[in-house]
Amino acid sequence: MSGIVVQNIERAPIDVVDGLGASGVATVHEAQGRTGLMRSYMRPIYGGARIAGSAVTISAPPGDNWMVHVAVEQLREGDVLVLAPTSPCDDGYFGDLLATSAMARGCRGLVIEAGVRDVRDLEAMGFPVWSKAISAQGTIKATLGSVNVPIVCAGAIVNPGDVVVADDDGVCIVPRADAEAVLEKARAREANEEEKRRRLAAGELGLDLYDMRGKLESLGLKYV
Amino acid sequence: MSGIVVQNIERAPIDVVDGLGASGVATVHEAQGRTGLMRSYMRPIYGGARIAGSAVTISAPPGDNWMVHVAVEQLREGDVLVLAPTSPCDDGYFGDLLATSAMARGCRGLVIEAGVRDVRDLEAMGFPVWSKAISAQGTIKATLGSVNVPIVCAGAIVNPGDVVVADDDGVCIVPRADAEAVLEKARAREANEEEKRRRLAAGELGLDLYDMRGKLESLGLKYV
Amino acid sequence: MSGIVVQNIERAPIDVVDGLGASGVATVHEAQGRTGLMRSYMRPIYGGARIAGSAVTISAPPGDNWMVHVAVEQLREGDVLVLAPTSPCDDGYFGDLLATSAMARGCRGLVIEAGVRDVRDLEAMGFPVWSKAISAQGTIKATLGSVNVPIVCAGAIVNPGDVVVADDDGVCIVPRADAEAVLEKARAREANEEEKRRRLAAGELGLDLYDMRGKLESLGLKYV
Amino acid sequence: MSGIVVQNIERAPIDVVDGLGASGVATVHEAQGRTGLMRSYMRPIYGGARIAGSAVTISAPPGDNWMVHVAVEQLREGDVLVLAPTSPCDDGYFGDLLATSAMARGCRGLVIEAGVRDVRDLEAMGFPVWSKAISAQGTIKATLGSVNVPIVCAGAIVNPGDVVVADDDGVCIVPRADAEAVLEKARAREANEEEKRRRLAAGELGLDLYDMRGKLESLGLKYV
Amino acid sequence: MSGIVVQNIERAPIDVVDGLGASGVATVHEAQGRTGLMRSYMRPIYGGARIAGSAVTISAPPGDNWMVHVAVEQLREGDVLVLAPTSPCDDGYFGDLLATSAMARGCRGLVIEAGVRDVRDLEAMGFPVWSKAISAQGTIKATLGSVNVPIVCAGAIVNPGDVVVADDDGVCIVPRADAEAVLEKARAREANEEEKRRRLAAGELGLDLYDMRGKLESLGLKYV
Amino acid sequence: MSGIVVQNIERAPIDVVDGLGASGVATVHEAQGRTGLMRSYMRPIYGGARIAGSAVTISAPPGDNWMVHVAVEQLREGDVLVLAPTSPCDDGYFGDLLATSAMARGCRGLVIEAGVRDVRDLEAMGFPVWSKAISAQGTIKATLGSVNVPIVCAGAIVNPGDVVVADDDGVCIVPRADAEAVLEKARAREANEEEKRRRLAAGELGLDLYDMRGKLESLGLKYV
């Protein structure tokens, strides 16, 4: 089942991808019905990055980063690499040389349920990574994996071409076919939030804004 | 036992609260006999914040942030929200809208043994949070909890009105009744440390400054 | 076996130590055959520090930092303290006063498989620490440990006088006797990487640069 | 705040204690409104034990079991030792000699948020333990703690004399003053469950037995 | 996306299911190319059980077991319940009453990435469970989830009707469509292993049996 | 540094090894000054086994068990295999076929800071294992490691030929050169404990038996 590279994958329109990135993880996650979120141990290696891109997926053996080199060739402008090891591993699959190569192909970042190294260089280069660990542990190039096959990464299903949204809140996956609809809902949500934010800032209470008092009382909430 | 909101809680004098905040977690923890410290997995979502405030406590079901809205109404200038879920949970109970509302009521920050989201916005707003996780995972509003009841948060007992001190070293709880006495000890400690710092910086050894050599020798320490 | 302080330890030449520091953890770890790396839970308390130094080792009981004071006297210009507790512990063994004292003796930093506190002060002082935890929990001075004996810290063997290299990627230990040879290999590696970086930045693929296509094909990699 | 031994504590009537033990952790936890449960990492060292007893509490420094010896003198027939270290620790505070001594005083078991050793002997002796770890790591006798003061153990508040219920499902604490009322509710619950068990075993569905279909439908559950 | 119950799912032939169960997790995992294995934190609540069955899947909110009742109605002889919470949770979703009901419908066991309780009773009943935790923590019935939709459970994709194989080595999922082919390979593997076992037991070395010496030598393995 | 097999290692006399095994982990750990203990996450795959043997060490890449086959050839009657991966890994390196082969050469068990599978078979065969995980995840045979070189396993240094003692309390390593002296101390300790056990069973308190009351009082312990 491994040893496969799928070359022609479909991607969502780049303006949809960019729109999802502008909305950010929390909004997109809500907009698509609270699905697609990776586990909270996936953390950015530096603060402040916010990206979206089309997933080029990698399934790799533990401690073996050969398939990353194979995947780089499949990258197009606007893509994000997403790697899941076939068994749990914290090794440093990726560093500044691979980032140099990926950036040269238009890659916007890396999401990896494993480790990464050269993190100071990656920050200086402006290449963002969300990972499970930071580790200098070197990897080998001995065993085949696959590129652009469906993977499970940090609890989320990722199909090649899905939209990856990542920021300081974590990483969320939007199925390619849903991307446009989710973007619409995300924007509606944002418009709606703006008004709420203004009223809450003015001192109005959520209890009133969301009309919660009656339901709380009916459930028996007691003020003492 | 849940479904209760205690409205009138006593708080420590605000200058005592502020004094404890100025001393910081490590000093306050020492000054009160090394008690009240939360577990070290409680981390700030951004560096550099140092706060103290009176605890408004929240006991909430896993994945349900309804009681946060109820608690916001109980906030006064100088308070800090402290939330413990009734069973372990990493979901994102709190984001920028709730922070907007809490800040409008004078709230100084949030301590939560669960997750939080919109962390980039929270930093931009200057609303500090100490949490167990950062997670965009949404929560619901379906089940009652309680506000201003005693809780156990990250291993520490928190009674409503207790003083919460939080900085980059973590979170420490000072029982309201002890706040003034602890502040006094904290200040004495700081005065004492200043002189020590000066002598150590000048090259004097702790072995001499604290007069340790005799006791170490009597216990059999051998220099080889 | 505890209760011993070894006073005269050998150190690597300071220019070799500094050279290893300039190469950084990832390069040094590779240069010495992927050995000596500490576990990835050893994290810097602030970003951007990169140091190397000669190890002054500490074996200390859980929750007891007495031996740190003993170790400070053994420090020379260019040293790094390395502490392993005799059983797992997160307590805050080290804070700004000890850092003041250590810096007065020329110490370049601390590596500790336990906790540290006053982290904001330590950053302001420019005293870097790699630790397993940040915790304000105070420690006592009751039981002997040892200074400058071999220890296992976060999975790595550390002998007194070994070279400690630490940066944002973690911590790597180079045996003193190997330091010069490892430095040479690290520099060769860096020279080699410069050329690769240039070619990858220009868009050349790793698949071609490292001549991987043939081997991948022979193992059966299929492009579909 | 440490260095105190409270000698005369009140206990719940022994038949109430025994009744709670017969009901078991899951039932008692439900009967008292889903409170008092320790974290799920507290596991029995061997399967099949089910006990209840009055808590004799111990607050002990990390790696120091001196207070266990002090606590043994405070034990009466039907008591259970409950130990929380003042900071997280996995060391083996307790083994077969202490168990021999505790059993000679009528102690029914140990609940410890730390480690225990000689587990094969403890099983052979029939002395049950619920612990966070099994570890042979020895402890010292150097620093005071306290006996029979309120503690937080694995997330639960334990006051001396509270009823400790422990079985294969974990550990639950019943406040002494509530013990009788909780027992009554536990028994009502058990009576109620017997009838349900019979009906479910006969093939009746929970959906019908608990009359859930209407509510599920009204919330929009769709069968496809 | 939640609030759906799929009623008619396809299942693999029962003799294929039973054949996979007889082969066991390690063999089945190998036979299908080392895929489908759940994370190693999924452990049996008691030793010695070995089952296979068709998956009836449950997606449930944290701390809410309502959907388990809904799922029970969908069970047929030979099924296994597989539950994944929508965010990480250790609560005790399942106990002896639900097991009674599930067994009455022919259910062979439960796989749950959360907690379970009444474990002693479940063992006495012979109802095996593989779970992430054992916890008495009660759950509520307030929010919809779904039954028989695709889920990710402990890192593995589970579609309704897939074959669940579970024993002391963990849990492995075989896609329904592959079940027959995997069974064939598993049996071939077993036949092959029998001969190897006999030769190894007789003292033959794996180095010779698998003809490894040449390859090891060519890679440079040195005997000293 | 890898790719080496040391063939002739020295072992402790078999009667010394057996004596240490009879004493057990807790006693041996104490007898050698509380050193050599592995981390408490190293657990037996089944209860009740107690072994000692001479270490044949394995350093293996993550997810690659080739060196286990190489190590089996180096086994002699009374040996124990000890494996540490070069980076953290939970994969199942070892199962019933390797156990068959190892037993045929007189091997007494396996200690592995990784995973193991076929655990039910291993128990039936009476081949004990202490591991970090139980996992069916298969491994490959692609990269060299080393056999009989010094390793760090679960925090303990293990040199080839050291004595491995393992039972339900965990795993302890005794350096070969110290084995005889440690055995003597272990036996003295046991003799001493027998008398203590008798007196404690008769109701004498540790406070009196160990003459602790005076020291506790001098430190300020207060009975209230």
Side-chain angles (χ1 to χ4, degrees), chain A residues 20-218:
Chain A
L20 290 166
S23 290
V25 169
T27 298
V28 166
H29 161 69
E30 291 288 347
Q32 73 173 337
R34 299 187 173 175
T35 59
L37 194 68
M38 290 195 185
R39 290 276 187 271
S40 62
Y41 55 69
M42 296 296 285
R43 298 299 306 144
I45 60 167
Y46 58 87
R50 164 174 286 199
I51 65 163
S54 300
V56 166
T57 65
I58 306 170
S59 171
D64 191 314
N65 77 344
W66 210 2
M67 286 303 112
V68 183
H69 290 275
V70 174
V72 166
E73 189 179 26
Q74 305 305 318
L75 286 169
R76 290 198 203 156
E77 187 75 33
D79 285 349
V80 170
L81 288 167
V82 184
L83 185 151
T86 53
S87 69
C89 184
D90 280 357
D91 292 353
Y93 281 73
F94 192 95
D96 73 321
L97 285 182
L98 276 165
T100 299
S101 186
M103 287 183 86
R105 310 217 28 117
C107 182
R108 295 178 172 184
L110 166 70
V111 171
I112 178 167
E113 194 182 5
V116 67
R117 61 186 188 180
D118 303 327
V119 292
R120 182 68 23 183
D121 297 327
L122 296 179
E123 181 173 1
M125 295 162 68
F127 187 85
V129 177
W130 286 257
S131 71
K132 193 174 114 189
I134 292 171
S135 168
Q137 180 68 45
T139 52
I140 59 173
K141 292 164 212 345
T143 309
L144 297 187
S146 289
V147 171
N148 280 334
V149 295
I151 58 173
V152 173
C153 182
I157 296 176
V158 191
N159 283 291
D162 283 351
V163 184
V164 182
V165 186
D167 61 22
D168 288 301
D169 285 345
V171 183
C172 190
I173 301 300
V174 180
R176 187 182 53 80
D178 304 344
E180 212 147 346
V182 170
L183 176 57
E184 226 168 285
K185 283 186 200 158
R187 283 185 174 154
R189 200 177 163 85
E190 287 171 319
N192 183 20
E193 287 203 345
E194 206 37 66
E195 167 66 4
K196 285 185 200 162
R197 189 174 291 108
R198 204 191 44 74
R199 287 169 67 181
L200 292 168
E204 197 170 341
L205 286 168
L207 290 176
D208 299 315
L209 181 60
Y210 305 112
D211 199 17
M212 293 169 168
R213 292 190 194 271
K215 195 168 172 210
L216 285 166
E217 194 184 347
S218 75

Side-chain angles (χ1 to χ4, degrees), chain E residues 120-134:
Chain E
R120 183 67 23 182
D121 296 329
L122 296 178
E123 181 174 359
M125 296 162 68
F127 188 85
V129 177
W130 286 257
S131 71
K132 193 174 114 189
I134 292 171

Side-chain angles (χ1 to χ4, degrees), chain E residues 26 29-30 34 37 40 43 47-48 168-169 197 200-201 205 207 210 212-213 216 219 221-224, chain F residues 3-7 66 69-70 73 96-97 100 104-105 117-120 134 136-141 144:
Chain E
H29 160 69
E30 290 289 345
R34 300 187 171 175
L37 195 68
S40 63
R43 297 302 304 146
D168 289 300
D169 285 343
R197 189 174 291 110
L200 293 168
L205 286 167
L207 290 176
Y210 305 112
M212 294 168 166
R213 293 189 194 271
L216 286 166
L219 285 171
L221 187 67
K222 278 195 186 50
Y223 286 83
V224 298
Chain F
I4 288 167
V5 183
V6 178
Q7 292 183 280
W66 209 2
H69 290 275
V70 174
E73 188 178 28
D96 73 321
L97 285 182
T100 300
R105 312 220 22 120
R117 62 186 185 177
D118 303 326
V119 293
R120 180 69 24 184
I134 292 172
Q137 180 67 45
T139 52
I140 59 172
K141 291 163 211 350
L144 298 187

